Amino acid sequence: MENTMKQELKICQSCGMPMQEEQYGTNQDGSKNHTYCCYCYKDGAFAQDCSLEEMIDFCAPFEVEGGRAETVEEAKAMLREYFPTLERWRA
């Protein structure tokens, strides 16, 4: 009973944000994209044309704000380890 209500946690494969269904990005045809969030992916394309390092710079303050890192530099170090595991940034 309870398991049917459980939703699988999706992580944006660009910025690492946990996503609820309403935060999914959109494909070119308007359908939901389950791989990337609405901030990273809109209408079948990435919303920002940025490098891995630029994405790290952008996301680091959110890690501090969310209490996952003490400083921006600590957050950047963590993200440099984590982001290359995400689909968008895999070599």
Side-chain angles (χ1 to χ4, degrees), residues 57-74:
D57 289 345
F58 179 77
C59 291
F62 296 111
E63 295 299 307
V64 175
E65 186 180 301
R68 292 174 293 278
E70 297 268 327
T71 66
V72 169
E73 285 309 311
E74 180 185 327

Side-chain angles (χ1 to χ4, degrees), residues 25-79:
T26 54
N27 295 312
Q28 195 170 15
D29 65 3
S31 63
K32 299 246 183 226
N33 182 290
H34 297 230
T35 306
Y36 302 109
C37 76
C38 59
Y39 306 110
C40 290
Y41 203 75
K42 294 177 184 162
D43 301 322
F46 288 109
Q48 311 87 15
D49 181 19
C50 63
S51 68
L52 172 60
E53 199 59 35
E54 288 168 332
M55 182 63 86
I56 289 168
D57 289 345
F58 179 77
C59 291
F62 296 111
E63 295 299 307
V64 175
E65 186 180 301
R68 292 174 293 278
E70 297 268 327
T71 66
V72 169
E73 285 309 311
E74 180 185 327
K76 286 181 181 183
M78 289 179 356
L79 294 174

